[in-house]
Amino acid sequence: MTDVFAHKQVAELGSLDEGHDLDGTPSFLSGALPDRVGHRPHVESCLPQAQMDQQSPGDVMEGLVVAARTLTKGLVTEGPLSMPPNYISFHLNSREIPNGACMTPGGPLYGTEFAHIRSLWRPPEDAIMLEEVSKKGKRWHSIQGGGQGSMCLCLTLRDADHVIHSGWGERRLLEGEEISGRALPHGLVLVYAPRSLDEVPVVIRILEASLKYATSTER
């Protein structure tokens, strides 16, 4: 299992093997994921959850976006952005999406977003952040990114558990919670940003599993 920061053990990251029937849920991953090498990135509860280091370099972000758009072409509409930290949001071109695959609070009756890629996170003392907040009067949350190249997406419980334990992500703080009385799915996962072009195919496999779940007849 991938090493983790001392303050963030896997149990705290949200193993899904307690209180859920993982064996009773399907998998849309194309085989087992390789273990992610090295420490997990530093993630804190803001925005409501941001990856603050190990973000994708510019060329890796570009490769990720190209691969994601190639994978989803013809099946999704990009945007609108559900939150300012997002770079691209993917919305299925059909309301026939399983509730568990839809991250729009309340399910497909209210929207069909199932995944998004997030933009660059900047420390509060960053010059651009300071200018935007202090001189232009913008709210911090309206301009802050969630971690360049990281993704939030919906997976089946079995796939979400595998992503967590192989070191490629963690549970979203809002999974299973209600926003304005509308519930979010339990398989909502934060997928860590690829650090190199070699890692892009791995996270694209996770996005592909999310897309397959969204386009499935699973209910």
Side-chain angles (χ1 to χ4, degrees):
M1 184 176 294
T2 303
D3 290 336
V4 297
F5 284 119
H7 72 280
K8 186 175 286 186
Q9 300 301 319
V10 170
E12 297 172 354
L13 291 168
S15 173
L16 287 165
D17 55 7
E18 293 185 6
H20 297 287
D21 179 17
L22 301 187
D23 292 335
T25 64
S27 173
F28 293 100
L29 281 168
S30 57
L33 299 172
D35 283 348
R36 184 179 181 274
V37 177
H39 292 293
R40 293 179 186 264
H42 183 74
V43 176
E44 290 190 7
S45 56
C46 62
L47 302 173
Q49 193 171 3
Q51 179 178 331
M52 298 180 174
D53 63 4
Q54 301 185 41
Q55 301 181 78
S56 296
D59 63 328
V60 177
M61 178 66 165
E62 181 179 355
L64 173 65
V65 170
V66 169
R69 283 176 166 160
T70 299
L71 172 68
T72 60
K73 184 177 181 180
L75 297 172
V76 308
T77 299
E78 293 183 14
L81 300 180
S82 57
M83 293 184 69
N86 301 344
Y87 183 79
I88 300 173
S89 293
F90 297 107
H91 302 250
L92 196 68
N93 291 338
S94 169
R95 293 282 179 180
E96 297 299 317
I97 179 174
N99 285 338
C102 181
M103 70 168 58
T104 305
L109 181 63
Y110 300 96
T112 60
E113 183 181 0
F114 65 92
H116 54 245
I117 301 173
R118 305 197 301 170
S119 55
L120 183 68
W121 183 86
R122 302 177 187 273
E125 65 274 13
D126 181 87
I128 294 177
M129 289 295 295
L130 290 174
E131 180 179 2
E132 294 290 317
V133 172
S134 62
K135 294 183 179 179
K136 298 185 180 180
K138 293 185 178 180
R139 296 178 65 239
W140 180 81
H141 281 78
S142 71
I143 55 176
Q144 180 60 280
Q148 182 161 283
S150 64
M151 294 189 290
C152 293
L153 45 75
C154 296
L155 297 168
T156 65
L157 296 181
R158 180 184 294 184
D159 285 344
D161 195 63
H162 181 57
V163 168
I164 293 167
H165 281 85
S166 58
W168 290 98
E170 60 187 76
R171 292 171 80 171
R172 286 283 280 150
L173 291 175
L174 293 177
E175 65 85 20
E177 299 293 331
E178 290 189 356
I179 297 179
S180 300
R182 300 172 186 169
L184 289 165
H186 286 284
L188 189 56
V189 175
L190 165 62
V191 177
Y192 302 140
R195 297 162 292 183
S196 67
L197 290 172
D198 289 339
E199 290 187 347
V200 170
V202 180
V203 299
I204 287 296
R205 283 179 58 196
I206 300 173
L207 177 61
E208 181 183 32
S210 180
L211 176 62
K212 286 181 177 179
Y213 183 21
T215 56
S216 75
T217 57
E218 181 70 23
R219 290 295 182 267

